[in-house]
Amino acid sequence: MTKKIFFWLLWLTLGIYAFNFAPPDQPDTLDLIINLSTGNWEGINPVIISLFNLMGIFPLIYASVLLIDGRGQKIWAWLFSTLSFGVGAFAILPYLALREDNPKFSGKKGWFLKILDSNWLAVFLTLVATTLVGFALFQGDWGDFVQQWQTNRFIHVMSLDFCLLCSLFPALLGDDMARRNLDNPLLFWAAAHFPLFGALFYLALRPQLPEMDEEITNIFV
C-alpha cells in the first residue's frame, strides 16, 4: 500500500509541477514537435533530437516488461503501455500504482510477446540508444540545451520525464526476474542503477520467459 501511495503522489506531483511550475510553453512548441516527429531536424540541437527519440525507445523498454506483467493483473497493461508512447511516465506511474505484485506468468506467449521477450530486440534498442547518446554527446550544444531547459516547458518536462523513466524501471524488475527464476543480485543492481543502459543490458541478457500449457485467445499477448 505504501508503494501505491508513493506512485500516486509522484504522479500528482509531476502533473502539478508540469502544468503550474515548469517554464512557460513556447509558441513554436507544436512546430518543434512536428519537426522532431517527421525527421525535419535542420537547425534543431542534436541533444533535443536525441532526447526526443530516446523517449520513443523507453516505451518499448517498458512494454517488454509491462505487457508480460499485465498477464496477471486486473488492469489493462496494454492501455498504459500504449499511452506511454505519448506521455511517458504520466502513463507508467498510474500502472505502477494500480498493479499488484505478480512474480508468475501463465499461458503461452502470443507473437507480439515473443517479439518483446526477444533478446535481439533489446540488442537492437541498445544499438539505437548508443547512437543517439553518442550523437548528443559529440554533436550537441549543451549550453543551448541548458538554456532551453530553463525556458521551454516542452524541453523541461520531457527531460524530467526521461529521468523518471530511468528511475522507475526497478519497480517492475523484481517480478520480471522472479518469473524467469533469475536470482542474480548483481544483474538487478546493474539494471536498477545504470540509467537507460542498465534496463537495456538486463533485457538483452534475461533468459526467455517459460511458457505454460494454458491457451490464450488474445494473439497480441
Side-chain angles (χ1 to χ4, degrees):
M1 180 60 69
T2 303
K3 289 192 298 183
K4 292 178 180 292
I5 294 174
F6 170 77
F7 288 130
W8 280 125
L9 288 176
L10 187 57
W11 179 72
L12 183 62
T13 301
L14 177 63
I16 292 174
Y17 179 83
F19 292 103
N20 294 279
F21 298 101
D25 202 3
Q26 300 299 318
D28 62 344
T29 294
L30 181 58
D31 290 336
L32 175 61
I33 295 173
I34 293 174
N35 289 334
L36 286 169
S37 302
T38 57
N40 184 18
W41 297 340
E42 185 176 357
I44 302 177
N45 189 337
V47 180
I48 295 172
I49 295 172
S50 298
L51 178 61
F52 182 83
N53 284 281
L54 286 171
M55 293 302 293
I57 289 180
F58 259 119
L60 291 172
I61 293 174
Y62 274 88
S64 298
V65 177
L66 190 146
L67 291 179
I68 293 171
D69 180 75
R71 177 67 65 82
Q73 304 292 339
K74 296 180 180 179
I75 53 177
W76 292 342
W78 63 265
L79 177 60
F80 296 91
S81 179
T82 302
L83 289 174
S84 71
F85 281 90
V87 296
F90 284 95
I92 298 298
L93 281 168
Y95 179 81
L96 295 178
L98 292 169
R99 71 177 292 272
E100 301 293 339
D101 291 341
N102 181 30
K104 296 182 179 180
F105 179 85
S106 62
K108 294 186 177 181
K109 294 181 291 185
W111 63 267
F112 191 55
L113 270 195
K114 288 181 179 179
I115 293 174
L116 294 175
D117 197 40
S118 167
N119 301 110
W120 289 108
L121 175 62
V123 171
F124 172 73
L125 293 177
T126 301
L127 292 175
V128 175
T130 301
T131 301
L132 290 170
V133 171
F135 182 51
L137 288 175
F138 297 109
Q139 300 294 326
D141 185 339
W142 287 91
D144 172 73
F145 173 74
V146 171
Q147 191 273 332
Q148 293 201 55
W149 185 84
Q150 294 172 336
T151 59
N152 188 307
R153 174 176 293 176
F154 173 67
I155 305 300
H156 189 92
V157 173
M158 182 168 60
S159 302
L160 295 179
D161 199 359
F162 175 85
C163 294
L164 270 175
L165 290 173
C166 288
S167 303
L168 293 173
F169 186 75
L172 295 166
L173 182 57
D175 279 354
D176 193 74
M177 293 182 69
R179 283 189 287 267
R180 301 165 194 276
N181 299 312
L182 185 58
D183 183 14
N184 189 329
L186 180 60
L187 181 58
F188 182 94
W189 187 92
H193 290 85
F194 287 91
L196 177 61
F197 289 102
L200 289 168
F201 179 74
Y202 167 75
L203 295 178
L205 292 181
R206 66 180 181 176
Q208 296 293 294
L209 190 70
E211 295 183 278
M212 306 296 289
D213 292 332
E214 178 186 343
E215 294 287 347
I216 58 173
T217 57
N218 189 331
I219 63 171
F220 292 102
V221 299

